[in-house]
Amino acid sequence: MTDPIRKLRRELVAAARREAARTRDPLAGSRRTRGVAGKGRKTLVLVLLLVAASGTAVAATQLFGPPVHPGPVVLGGPKPGSVVLAPLRVRDPAGGLPWGVRIYTPRRSGPAAHSPLSCVQIGRVLNGRLGVIGEDGAFDNDGLFHVLPVEPLAKCVRAAWFASFPGYTPASAFTGHGSCAAPPPGAADPTTKRTARAAGGSRACAIADLRLVVYGVARPHATIVRLASTSGVRNERLVAGDHGAFIFVLTAAGVDASRAHLRVTFGY
Amino acid sequence: MRRQRSDAELLVAAREDAEAFGEFYDRHIAKVLAFFRRRVPNPELAMDLAAETFAAALGSLSNYIPGEEPATAWLFGIARHRWVDAIRRGRVEDRARRTLEMQRLVVDDHAVAVIERVAAGGALDLLEVLPDDQRDALVARHLDGRAYSEIAAELRCSESVVRKRVSRGLTSLRKVAQRWASDD
């Protein structure tokens, strides 16, 4: 029988006692610092044993909400075996879950003589799954991670070599129902009511909640994609597993989307 | 009879008196748990976040400066940061607890029941950051819609005191709301 409330109190009071002793005797601080490394190893073993022996350790992986609604099937759905979540991961300017790209080929890709049709989805990645975060108005701001099925919010393009989709996106990565409105890329001020109405939303996203996301596909043999913008130059080195997918994520504040441009290097 | 120390006094005293922090914890653990329980899907996560919040508060005692805002606003500011951080990272950090060399909590079925019971008893909204006297006056006036004279009679103080408490409560709420908004 455990009472976690009392247990935590004991732990906190004991820690407070140690902190108070450390404040009175500054040398105790350095002793503590040195002691952590040695004690850490023992604690690690102890914690692992506790986790293995007990039913439910306090863990932090249960942050999933219901998945994003799949929506109607378009272009016949994804061709079996074509769906790939690129290993590419790009950090968000505010930290947290990284951004990722999923690409696939739809069943109705058109005549074989034409360039293949590729569909691209972006989102945040948690435990190898692409999804969106319930924030910025999405999912009633539940704060949970919502897995994104293949298809919703995807953009498809017939591109032999290169295609890119620059645009403003809420940090949640969700642009569907409930989300704050992200303006079109050319908006002079991304946060005004006018741009929110133009984007079909009732509330414009706060500038801090907006990202300028530039993503797409560059293939075959693309090795480096470079984004030059008013906030500087960024390079993304592509590997075979990326299937040509790339993504850049910038803060919306202080970046002029109309002056951002891409350069792709192909290696043969 | 010894006067009950305010939250701010407890936090200042806790720099040297560990039991003062325990008293502060006793007063607010239910509210903090309730705060997280309303935002995360299970009691284990709520407890994990609450533990990290109090550990972070303990680790930041030297930075705490008593001011106009209630000490609970400071505590819930930390709680909110921990919650947003967990969302962004997809997991709950345990950095504050590791720094303080605290053991990790293990939660069994009995513990889950205790957490749920305590969290339910600490139902929270923004009003919870206010000191008791301001909260009582504000609730009586603006939620219950009672007259100042009636509230004054019940609280055994003058109407002007009630008005002052309501006014201070609203000011505090506004500051807290603004700070939380700017934290987002």
Side-chain angles (χ1 to χ4, degrees), chain A residues 86 88-91 98-102 120-124 130 165 212-217 225 227 234-236 238 244-250 262:
Chain A
L88 178 71
R89 298 286 180 272
V90 173
R91 67 177 292 275
W99 291 74
V101 187
R102 180 159 57 203
V120 188
Q121 279 179 302
I122 60 167
R124 311 294 288 260
L130 195 71
F165 307 98
L212 175 61
V213 182
V214 182
Y215 65 99
V217 285
V225 181
L227 174 72
R234 293 169 187 226
N235 288 312
E236 223 160 71
L238 305 186
F246 65 88
I247 180 171
F248 295 92
V249 183
L250 289 74
L262 288 165

PDB file of all heavy atoms in Angstrom, chain A residues 86 88-91 98-102 120-124 130 165 212-217 225 227 234-236 238 244-250 262:
ATOM      1  N   ALA A  86       9.752   9.743 -43.663  1.00  0.00           N
ATOM      2  CA  ALA A  86      11.187   9.972 -43.849  1.00  0.00           C
ATOM      3  C   ALA A  86      11.888  10.048 -42.500  1.00  0.00           C
ATOM      4  O   ALA A  86      11.328  10.610 -41.551  1.00  0.00           O
ATOM      5  CB  ALA A  86      11.397  11.265 -44.636  1.00  0.00           C
ATOM      6  N   LEU A  88      14.087  11.901 -41.665  1.00  0.00           N
ATOM      7  CA  LEU A  88      14.423  13.297 -41.400  1.00  0.00           C
ATOM      8  C   LEU A  88      13.617  13.848 -40.216  1.00  0.00           C
ATOM      9  O   LEU A  88      12.402  13.699 -40.155  1.00  0.00           O
ATOM     10  CB  LEU A  88      14.089  14.096 -42.659  1.00  0.00           C
ATOM     11  CG  LEU A  88      14.289  15.591 -42.655  1.00  0.00           C
ATOM     12  CD1 LEU A  88      15.770  15.913 -42.648  1.00  0.00           C
ATOM     13  CD2 LEU A  88      13.620  16.191 -43.881  1.00  0.00           C
ATOM     14  N   ARG A  89      14.292  14.484 -39.272  1.00  0.00           N
ATOM     15  CA  ARG A  89      13.618  15.141 -38.152  1.00  0.00           C
ATOM     16  C   ARG A  89      14.172  16.554 -38.023  1.00  0.00           C
ATOM     17  O   ARG A  89      15.389  16.739 -37.992  1.00  0.00           O
ATOM     18  CB  ARG A  89      13.865  14.403 -36.827  1.00  0.00           C
ATOM     19  CG  ARG A  89      13.331  12.987 -36.795  1.00  0.00           C
ATOM     20  CD  ARG A  89      11.833  12.943 -36.683  1.00  0.00           C
ATOM     21  NE  ARG A  89      11.369  11.566 -36.658  1.00  0.00           N
ATOM     22  CZ  ARG A  89      11.089  10.849 -37.739  1.00  0.00           C
ATOM     23  NH1 ARG A  89      11.204  11.393 -38.946  1.00  0.00           N
ATOM     24  NH2 ARG A  89      10.687   9.610 -37.642  1.00  0.00           N
ATOM     25  N   VAL A  90      13.284  17.499 -37.915  1.00  0.00           N
ATOM     26  CA  VAL A  90      13.713  18.898 -37.828  1.00  0.00           C
ATOM     27  C   VAL A  90      13.145  19.502 -36.554  1.00  0.00           C
ATOM     28  O   VAL A  90      11.951  19.369 -36.272  1.00  0.00           O
ATOM     29  CB  VAL A  90      13.203  19.685 -39.060  1.00  0.00           C
ATOM     30  CG1 VAL A  90      13.478  21.170 -38.912  1.00  0.00           C
ATOM     31  CG2 VAL A  90      13.868  19.160 -40.318  1.00  0.00           C
ATOM     32  N   ARG A  91      13.995  20.155 -35.810  1.00  0.00           N
ATOM     33  CA  ARG A  91      13.549  20.698 -34.526  1.00  0.00           C
ATOM     34  C   ARG A  91      12.633  21.902 -34.731  1.00  0.00           C
ATOM     35  O   ARG A  91      12.769  22.648 -35.712  1.00  0.00           O
ATOM     36  CB  ARG A  91      14.725  21.079 -33.628  1.00  0.00           C
ATOM     37  CG  ARG A  91      15.550  22.242 -34.119  1.00  0.00           C
ATOM     38  CD  ARG A  91      16.653  22.585 -33.121  1.00  0.00           C
ATOM     39  NE  ARG A  91      16.098  23.118 -31.897  1.00  0.00           N
ATOM     40  CZ  ARG A  91      15.783  24.409 -31.726  1.00  0.00           C
ATOM     41  NH1 ARG A  91      15.967  25.270 -32.697  1.00  0.00           N
ATOM     42  NH2 ARG A  91      15.291  24.826 -30.584  1.00  0.00           N
ATOM     43  N   PRO A  98       9.840  17.027 -32.657  1.00  0.00           N
ATOM     44  CA  PRO A  98      10.386  17.459 -33.951  1.00  0.00           C
ATOM     45  C   PRO A  98       9.341  17.352 -35.055  1.00  0.00           C
ATOM     46  O   PRO A  98       8.316  16.697 -34.896  1.00  0.00           O
ATOM     47  CB  PRO A  98      11.518  16.461 -34.180  1.00  0.00           C
ATOM     48  CG  PRO A  98      11.085  15.231 -33.467  1.00  0.00           C
ATOM     49  CD  PRO A  98      10.314  15.700 -32.257  1.00  0.00           C
ATOM     50  N   TRP A  99       9.626  17.999 -36.160  1.00  0.00           N
ATOM     51  CA  TRP A  99       8.771  17.921 -37.332  1.00  0.00           C
ATOM     52  C   TRP A  99       9.277  16.807 -38.244  1.00  0.00           C
ATOM     53  O   TRP A  99      10.474  16.493 -38.260  1.00  0.00           O
ATOM     54  CB  TRP A  99       8.794  19.244 -38.096  1.00  0.00           C
ATOM     55  CG  TRP A  99       8.136  20.380 -37.387  1.00  0.00           C
ATOM     56  CD1 TRP A  99       8.624  21.064 -36.318  1.00  0.00           C
ATOM     57  CD2 TRP A  99       6.866  20.968 -37.705  1.00  0.00           C
ATOM     58  NE1 TRP A  99       7.731  22.049 -35.941  1.00  0.00           N
ATOM     59  CE2 TRP A  99       6.650  22.017 -36.778  1.00  0.00           C
ATOM     60  CE3 TRP A  99       5.895  20.728 -38.675  1.00  0.00           C
ATOM     61  CZ2 TRP A  99       5.499  22.812 -36.798  1.00  0.00           C
ATOM     62  CZ3 TRP A  99       4.762  21.521 -38.700  1.00  0.00           C
ATOM     63  CH2 TRP A  99       4.567  22.547 -37.771  1.00  0.00           C
ATOM     64  N   GLY A 100       8.367  16.222 -38.982  1.00  0.00           N
ATOM     65  CA  GLY A 100       8.741  15.175 -39.919  1.00  0.00           C
ATOM     66  C   GLY A 100       7.891  15.250 -41.179  1.00  0.00           C
ATOM     67  O   GLY A 100       6.927  16.026 -41.254  1.00  0.00           O
ATOM     68  N   VAL A 101       8.265  14.441 -42.164  1.00  0.00           N
ATOM     69  CA  VAL A 101       7.579  14.431 -43.454  1.00  0.00           C
ATOM     70  C   VAL A 101       7.224  12.999 -43.829  1.00  0.00           C
ATOM     71  O   VAL A 101       8.030  12.087 -43.664  1.00  0.00           O
ATOM     72  CB  VAL A 101       8.480  15.006 -44.570  1.00  0.00           C
ATOM     73  CG1 VAL A 101       7.696  15.141 -45.872  1.00  0.00           C
ATOM     74  CG2 VAL A 101       9.067  16.337 -44.167  1.00  0.00           C
ATOM     75  N   ARG A 102       6.005  12.816 -44.314  1.00  0.00           N
ATOM     76  CA  ARG A 102       5.605  11.499 -44.842  1.00  0.00           C
ATOM     77  C   ARG A 102       5.277  11.680 -46.319  1.00  0.00           C
ATOM     78  O   ARG A 102       4.629  12.664 -46.693  1.00  0.00           O
ATOM     79  CB  ARG A 102       4.384  10.984 -44.094  1.00  0.00           C
ATOM     80  CG  ARG A 102       3.920   9.614 -44.601  1.00  0.00           C
ATOM     81  CD  ARG A 102       3.070   8.908 -43.570  1.00  0.00           C
ATOM     82  NE  ARG A 102       1.904   9.667 -43.166  1.00  0.00           N
ATOM     83  CZ  ARG A 102       1.261   9.490 -42.005  1.00  0.00           C
ATOM     84  NH1 ARG A 102       1.718   8.605 -41.136  1.00  0.00           N
ATOM     85  NH2 ARG A 102       0.194  10.198 -41.704  1.00  0.00           N
ATOM     86  N   VAL A 120       2.602  14.579 -50.082  1.00  0.00           N
ATOM     87  CA  VAL A 120       3.482  14.911 -48.959  1.00  0.00           C
ATOM     88  C   VAL A 120       2.641  15.385 -47.779  1.00  0.00           C
ATOM     89  O   VAL A 120       1.733  16.196 -47.947  1.00  0.00           O
ATOM     90  CB  VAL A 120       4.474  16.039 -49.351  1.00  0.00           C
ATOM     91  CG1 VAL A 120       5.502  16.244 -48.263  1.00  0.00           C
ATOM     92  CG2 VAL A 120       5.137  15.735 -50.675  1.00  0.00           C
ATOM     93  N   GLN A 121       2.927  14.865 -46.613  1.00  0.00           N
ATOM     94  CA  GLN A 121       2.276  15.309 -45.370  1.00  0.00           C
ATOM     95  C   GLN A 121       3.352  15.738 -44.392  1.00  0.00           C
ATOM     96  O   GLN A 121       4.417  15.109 -44.325  1.00  0.00           O
ATOM     97  CB  GLN A 121       1.523  14.153 -44.710  1.00  0.00           C
ATOM     98  CG  GLN A 121       0.164  13.827 -45.264  1.00  0.00           C
ATOM     99  CD  GLN A 121      -0.411  12.655 -44.503  1.00  0.00           C
ATOM    100  OE1 GLN A 121       0.197  11.585 -44.461  1.00  0.00           O
ATOM    101  NE2 GLN A 121      -1.557  12.853 -43.901  1.00  0.00           N
ATOM    102  N   ILE A 122       3.049  16.738 -43.619  1.00  0.00           N
ATOM    103  CA  ILE A 122       3.993  17.124 -42.569  1.00  0.00           C
ATOM    104  C   ILE A 122       3.296  17.064 -41.220  1.00  0.00           C
ATOM    105  O   ILE A 122       2.061  17.064 -41.138  1.00  0.00           O
ATOM    106  CB  ILE A 122       4.570  18.537 -42.783  1.00  0.00           C
ATOM    107  CG1 ILE A 122       3.434  19.575 -42.791  1.00  0.00           C
ATOM    108  CG2 ILE A 122       5.386  18.587 -44.051  1.00  0.00           C
ATOM    109  CD1 ILE A 122       3.928  21.004 -42.688  1.00  0.00           C
ATOM    110  N   GLY A 123       4.060  17.024 -40.164  1.00  0.00           N
ATOM    111  CA  GLY A 123       3.495  17.017 -38.820  1.00  0.00           C
ATOM    112  C   GLY A 123       4.596  16.923 -37.795  1.00  0.00           C
ATOM    113  O   GLY A 123       5.787  16.984 -38.123  1.00  0.00           O
ATOM    114  N   ARG A 124       4.202  16.806 -36.540  1.00  0.00           N
ATOM    115  CA  ARG A 124       5.158  16.589 -35.469  1.00  0.00           C
ATOM    116  C   ARG A 124       5.288  15.075 -35.297  1.00  0.00           C
ATOM    117  O   ARG A 124       4.378  14.315 -35.647  1.00  0.00           O
ATOM    118  CB  ARG A 124       4.663  17.228 -34.162  1.00  0.00           C
ATOM    119  CG  ARG A 124       4.198  18.690 -34.301  1.00  0.00           C
ATOM    120  CD  ARG A 124       5.322  19.640 -34.646  1.00  0.00           C
ATOM    121  NE  ARG A 124       6.224  19.862 -33.535  1.00  0.00           N
ATOM    122  CZ  ARG A 124       6.186  20.931 -32.734  1.00  0.00           C
ATOM    123  NH1 ARG A 124       5.276  21.880 -32.927  1.00  0.00           N
ATOM    124  NH2 ARG A 124       7.067  21.083 -31.755  1.00  0.00           N
ATOM    125  N   LEU A 130       3.629  10.176 -37.136  1.00  0.00           N
ATOM    126  CA  LEU A 130       3.359  11.546 -37.549  1.00  0.00           C
ATOM    127  C   LEU A 130       2.023  11.990 -36.961  1.00  0.00           C
ATOM    128  O   LEU A 130       1.045  11.231 -36.976  1.00  0.00           O
ATOM    129  CB  LEU A 130       3.312  11.612 -39.081  1.00  0.00           C
ATOM    130  CG  LEU A 130       3.390  13.011 -39.707  1.00  0.00           C
ATOM    131  CD1 LEU A 130       4.793  13.593 -39.544  1.00  0.00           C
ATOM    132  CD2 LEU A 130       3.012  12.963 -41.186  1.00  0.00           C
ATOM    133  N   PHE A 165       6.373  23.342 -50.983  1.00  0.00           N
ATOM    134  CA  PHE A 165       5.132  23.927 -50.461  1.00  0.00           C
ATOM    135  C   PHE A 165       5.496  24.868 -49.310  1.00  0.00           C
ATOM    136  O   PHE A 165       5.542  24.440 -48.160  1.00  0.00           O
ATOM    137  CB  PHE A 165       4.201  22.833 -49.949  1.00  0.00           C
ATOM    138  CG  PHE A 165       3.922  21.752 -50.950  1.00  0.00           C
ATOM    139  CD1 PHE A 165       4.631  20.566 -50.908  1.00  0.00           C
ATOM    140  CD2 PHE A 165       2.959  21.925 -51.930  1.00  0.00           C
ATOM    141  CE1 PHE A 165       4.384  19.571 -51.824  1.00  0.00           C
ATOM    142  CE2 PHE A 165       2.714  20.929 -52.858  1.00  0.00           C
ATOM    143  CZ  PHE A 165       3.426  19.749 -52.813  1.00  0.00           C
ATOM    144  N   LEU A 212       6.821  29.326 -40.205  1.00  0.00           N
ATOM    145  CA  LEU A 212       6.958  29.335 -41.652  1.00  0.00           C
ATOM    146  C   LEU A 212       7.580  27.986 -42.010  1.00  0.00           C
ATOM    147  O   LEU A 212       8.727  27.703 -41.632  1.00  0.00           O
ATOM    148  CB  LEU A 212       7.854  30.484 -42.109  1.00  0.00           C
ATOM    149  CG  LEU A 212       8.143  30.498 -43.611  1.00  0.00           C
ATOM    150  CD1 LEU A 212       6.849  30.645 -44.411  1.00  0.00           C
ATOM    151  CD2 LEU A 212       9.102  31.631 -43.969  1.00  0.00           C
ATOM    152  N   VAL A 213       6.809  27.149 -42.657  1.00  0.00           N
ATOM    153  CA  VAL A 213       7.275  25.793 -42.970  1.00  0.00           C
ATOM    154  C   VAL A 213       7.435  25.674 -44.487  1.00  0.00           C
ATOM    155  O   VAL A 213       6.517  25.972 -45.242  1.00  0.00           O
ATOM    156  CB  VAL A 213       6.285  24.728 -42.461  1.00  0.00           C
ATOM    157  CG1 VAL A 213       6.815  23.327 -42.752  1.00  0.00           C
ATOM    158  CG2 VAL A 213       6.055  24.893 -40.965  1.00  0.00           C
ATOM    159  N   VAL A 214       8.595  25.260 -44.874  1.00  0.00           N
ATOM    160  CA  VAL A 214       8.883  25.034 -46.297  1.00  0.00           C
ATOM    161  C   VAL A 214       9.242  23.566 -46.448  1.00  0.00           C
ATOM    162  O   VAL A 214      10.212  23.098 -45.847  1.00  0.00           O
ATOM    163  CB  VAL A 214      10.058  25.923 -46.771  1.00  0.00           C
ATOM    164  CG1 VAL A 214      10.298  25.701 -48.268  1.00  0.00           C
ATOM    165  CG2 VAL A 214       9.775  27.380 -46.481  1.00  0.00           C
ATOM    166  N   TYR A 215       8.430  22.841 -47.202  1.00  0.00           N
ATOM    167  CA  TYR A 215       8.696  21.420 -47.338  1.00  0.00           C
ATOM    168  C   TYR A 215       8.394  20.988 -48.762  1.00  0.00           C
ATOM    169  O   TYR A 215       7.815  21.741 -49.557  1.00  0.00           O
ATOM    170  CB  TYR A 215       7.867  20.602 -46.343  1.00  0.00           C
ATOM    171  CG  TYR A 215       6.375  20.664 -46.556  1.00  0.00           C
ATOM    172  CD1 TYR A 215       5.699  19.638 -47.221  1.00  0.00           C
ATOM    173  CD2 TYR A 215       5.625  21.751 -46.102  1.00  0.00           C
ATOM    174  CE1 TYR A 215       4.318  19.691 -47.410  1.00  0.00           C
ATOM    175  CE2 TYR A 215       4.253  21.805 -46.290  1.00  0.00           C
ATOM    176  CZ  TYR A 215       3.604  20.779 -46.941  1.00  0.00           C
ATOM    177  OH  TYR A 215       2.251  20.835 -47.138  1.00  0.00           O
ATOM    178  N   GLY A 216       8.793  19.765 -49.074  1.00  0.00           N
ATOM    179  CA  GLY A 216       8.525  19.274 -50.414  1.00  0.00           C
ATOM    180  C   GLY A 216       9.341  18.036 -50.723  1.00  0.00           C
ATOM    181  O   GLY A 216       9.796  17.326 -49.806  1.00  0.00           O
ATOM    182  N   VAL A 217       9.508  17.771 -52.020  1.00  0.00           N
ATOM    183  CA  VAL A 217      10.313  16.621 -52.464  1.00  0.00           C
ATOM    184  C   VAL A 217      11.304  17.094 -53.527  1.00  0.00           C
ATOM    185  O   VAL A 217      10.971  17.941 -54.359  1.00  0.00           O
ATOM    186  CB  VAL A 217       9.442  15.484 -53.037  1.00  0.00           C
ATOM    187  CG1 VAL A 217       8.736  14.734 -51.932  1.00  0.00           C
ATOM    188  CG2 VAL A 217       8.435  16.017 -54.045  1.00  0.00           C
ATOM    189  N   VAL A 225      19.445  20.410 -49.851  1.00  0.00           N
ATOM    190  CA  VAL A 225      18.473  21.470 -50.110  1.00  0.00           C
ATOM    191  C   VAL A 225      18.847  22.637 -49.212  1.00  0.00           C
ATOM    192  O   VAL A 225      19.093  22.452 -48.009  1.00  0.00           O
ATOM    193  CB  VAL A 225      17.032  21.015 -49.816  1.00  0.00           C
ATOM    194  CG1 VAL A 225      16.050  22.142 -50.135  1.00  0.00           C
ATOM    195  CG2 VAL A 225      16.688  19.783 -50.627  1.00  0.00           C
ATOM    196  N   LEU A 227      17.884  26.506 -47.876  1.00  0.00           N
ATOM    197  CA  LEU A 227      16.871  27.550 -47.764  1.00  0.00           C
ATOM    198  C   LEU A 227      17.556  28.842 -47.323  1.00  0.00           C
ATOM    199  O   LEU A 227      18.204  28.877 -46.277  1.00  0.00           O
ATOM    200  CB  LEU A 227      15.797  27.166 -46.737  1.00  0.00           C
ATOM    201  CG  LEU A 227      14.765  28.273 -46.452  1.00  0.00           C
ATOM    202  CD1 LEU A 227      13.827  28.458 -47.645  1.00  0.00           C
ATOM    203  CD2 LEU A 227      13.947  27.958 -45.206  1.00  0.00           C
ATOM    204  N   ARG A 234      19.995  27.925 -44.309  1.00  0.00           N
ATOM    205  CA  ARG A 234      19.992  26.595 -43.691  1.00  0.00           C
ATOM    206  C   ARG A 234      20.174  25.542 -44.771  1.00  0.00           C
ATOM    207  O   ARG A 234      19.590  25.651 -45.846  1.00  0.00           O
ATOM    208  CB  ARG A 234      18.672  26.321 -42.975  1.00  0.00           C
ATOM    209  CG  ARG A 234      18.465  27.193 -41.770  1.00  0.00           C
ATOM    210  CD  ARG A 234      17.052  27.053 -41.287  1.00  0.00           C
ATOM    211  NE  ARG A 234      16.790  28.020 -40.234  1.00  0.00           N
ATOM    212  CZ  ARG A 234      16.169  27.728 -39.091  1.00  0.00           C
ATOM    213  NH1 ARG A 234      15.736  26.511 -38.879  1.00  0.00           N
ATOM    214  NH2 ARG A 234      15.971  28.643 -38.190  1.00  0.00           N
ATOM    215  N   ASN A 235      20.938  24.531 -44.422  1.00  0.00           N
ATOM    216  CA  ASN A 235      21.149  23.415 -45.342  1.00  0.00           C
ATOM    217  C   ASN A 235      20.543  22.160 -44.763  1.00  0.00           C
ATOM    218  O   ASN A 235      20.600  21.926 -43.552  1.00  0.00           O
ATOM    219  CB  ASN A 235      22.640  23.174 -45.555  1.00  0.00           C
ATOM    220  CG  ASN A 235      23.274  24.269 -46.395  1.00  0.00           C
ATOM    221  OD1 ASN A 235      22.738  24.635 -47.435  1.00  0.00           O
ATOM    222  ND2 ASN A 235      24.377  24.814 -45.927  1.00  0.00           N
ATOM    223  N   GLU A 236      19.978  21.355 -45.608  1.00  0.00           N
ATOM    224  CA  GLU A 236      19.488  20.053 -45.178  1.00  0.00           C
ATOM    225  C   GLU A 236      20.099  19.008 -46.098  1.00  0.00           C
ATOM    226  O   GLU A 236      19.929  19.061 -47.319  1.00  0.00           O
ATOM    227  CB  GLU A 236      17.963  20.008 -45.293  1.00  0.00           C
ATOM    228  CG  GLU A 236      17.300  19.350 -44.107  1.00  0.00           C
ATOM    229  CD  GLU A 236      15.831  19.761 -44.035  1.00  0.00           C
ATOM    230  OE1 GLU A 236      15.078  19.307 -44.902  1.00  0.00           O
ATOM    231  OE2 GLU A 236      15.451  20.525 -43.122  1.00  0.00           O
ATOM    232  N   LEU A 238      20.210  15.427 -47.570  1.00  0.00           N
ATOM    233  CA  LEU A 238      19.258  14.333 -47.738  1.00  0.00           C
ATOM    234  C   LEU A 238      19.989  12.994 -47.795  1.00  0.00           C
ATOM    235  O   LEU A 238      21.081  12.901 -48.351  1.00  0.00           O
ATOM    236  CB  LEU A 238      18.438  14.523 -49.019  1.00  0.00           C
ATOM    237  CG  LEU A 238      17.696  15.856 -49.167  1.00  0.00           C
ATOM    238  CD1 LEU A 238      16.814  15.839 -50.412  1.00  0.00           C
ATOM    239  CD2 LEU A 238      16.834  16.126 -47.940  1.00  0.00           C
ATOM    240  N   GLY A 244      13.857  11.905 -50.871  1.00  0.00           N
ATOM    241  CA  GLY A 244      13.803  13.250 -51.439  1.00  0.00           C
ATOM    242  C   GLY A 244      13.012  14.248 -50.616  1.00  0.00           C
ATOM    243  O   GLY A 244      12.900  15.413 -50.994  1.00  0.00           O
ATOM    244  N   ALA A 245      12.453  13.814 -49.489  1.00  0.00           N
ATOM    245  CA  ALA A 245      11.629  14.733 -48.688  1.00  0.00           C
ATOM    246  C   ALA A 245      12.519  15.713 -47.921  1.00  0.00           C
ATOM    247  O   ALA A 245      13.603  15.353 -47.455  1.00  0.00           O
ATOM    248  CB  ALA A 245      10.783  13.944 -47.702  1.00  0.00           C
ATOM    249  N   PHE A 246      12.072  16.932 -47.810  1.00  0.00           N
ATOM    250  CA  PHE A 246      12.796  17.911 -47.008  1.00  0.00           C
ATOM    251  C   PHE A 246      11.791  18.800 -46.294  1.00  0.00           C
ATOM    252  O   PHE A 246      10.611  18.894 -46.697  1.00  0.00           O
ATOM    253  CB  PHE A 246      13.744  18.758 -47.869  1.00  0.00           C
ATOM    254  CG  PHE A 246      13.030  19.616 -48.871  1.00  0.00           C
ATOM    255  CD1 PHE A 246      12.591  20.899 -48.556  1.00  0.00           C
ATOM    256  CD2 PHE A 246      12.792  19.150 -50.162  1.00  0.00           C
ATOM    257  CE1 PHE A 246      11.932  21.690 -49.486  1.00  0.00           C
ATOM    258  CE2 PHE A 246      12.130  19.934 -51.107  1.00  0.00           C
ATOM    259  CZ  PHE A 246      11.695  21.208 -50.767  1.00  0.00           C
ATOM    260  N   ILE A 247      12.224  19.431 -45.222  1.00  0.00           N
ATOM    261  CA  ILE A 247      11.348  20.354 -44.480  1.00  0.00           C
ATOM    262  C   ILE A 247      12.207  21.341 -43.696  1.00  0.00           C
ATOM    263  O   ILE A 247      13.214  20.959 -43.072  1.00  0.00           O
ATOM    264  CB  ILE A 247      10.380  19.585 -43.543  1.00  0.00           C
ATOM    265  CG1 ILE A 247       9.478  20.575 -42.783  1.00  0.00           C
ATOM    266  CG2 ILE A 247      11.134  18.680 -42.584  1.00  0.00           C
ATOM    267  CD1 ILE A 247       8.345  19.892 -42.012  1.00  0.00           C
ATOM    268  N   PHE A 248      11.833  22.588 -43.759  1.00  0.00           N
ATOM    269  CA  PHE A 248      12.464  23.636 -42.954  1.00  0.00           C
ATOM    270  C   PHE A 248      11.369  24.266 -42.088  1.00  0.00           C
ATOM    271  O   PHE A 248      10.265  24.525 -42.591  1.00  0.00           O
ATOM    272  CB  PHE A 248      13.082  24.715 -43.834  1.00  0.00           C
ATOM    273  CG  PHE A 248      14.227  24.223 -44.682  1.00  0.00           C
ATOM    274  CD1 PHE A 248      14.001  23.758 -45.973  1.00  0.00           C
ATOM    275  CD2 PHE A 248      15.522  24.233 -44.188  1.00  0.00           C
ATOM    276  CE1 PHE A 248      15.054  23.309 -46.756  1.00  0.00           C
ATOM    277  CE2 PHE A 248      16.572  23.783 -44.969  1.00  0.00           C
ATOM    278  CZ  PHE A 248      16.342  23.320 -46.264  1.00  0.00           C
ATOM    279  N   VAL A 249      11.685  24.499 -40.841  1.00  0.00           N
ATOM    280  CA  VAL A 249      10.697  25.099 -39.934  1.00  0.00           C
ATOM    281  C   VAL A 249      11.320  26.335 -39.280  1.00  0.00           C
ATOM    282  O   VAL A 249      12.327  26.226 -38.581  1.00  0.00           O
ATOM    283  CB  VAL A 249      10.249  24.097 -38.846  1.00  0.00           C
ATOM    284  CG1 VAL A 249       9.177  24.727 -37.960  1.00  0.00           C
ATOM    285  CG2 VAL A 249       9.732  22.812 -39.476  1.00  0.00           C
ATOM    286  N   LEU A 250      10.716  27.466 -39.531  1.00  0.00           N
ATOM    287  CA  LEU A 250      11.237  28.731 -38.991  1.00  0.00           C
ATOM    288  C   LEU A 250      10.142  29.422 -38.176  1.00  0.00           C
ATOM    289  O   LEU A 250       8.950  29.188 -38.410  1.00  0.00           O
ATOM    290  CB  LEU A 250      11.656  29.675 -40.116  1.00  0.00           C
ATOM    291  CG  LEU A 250      12.894  29.357 -40.940  1.00  0.00           C
ATOM    292  CD1 LEU A 250      12.635  28.220 -41.911  1.00  0.00           C
ATOM    293  CD2 LEU A 250      13.330  30.583 -41.724  1.00  0.00           C
ATOM    294  N   LEU A 262      14.756  28.572 -52.298  1.00  0.00           N
ATOM    295  CA  LEU A 262      15.397  27.273 -52.135  1.00  0.00           C
ATOM    296  C   LEU A 262      16.411  27.028 -53.251  1.00  0.00           C
ATOM    297  O   LEU A 262      16.232  27.490 -54.379  1.00  0.00           O
ATOM    298  CB  LEU A 262      14.339  26.158 -52.198  1.00  0.00           C
ATOM    299  CG  LEU A 262      13.415  26.024 -50.998  1.00  0.00           C
ATOM    300  CD1 LEU A 262      12.223  25.151 -51.372  1.00  0.00           C
ATOM    301  CD2 LEU A 262      14.145  25.410 -49.816  1.00  0.00           C
TER     302      LEU A 262
END
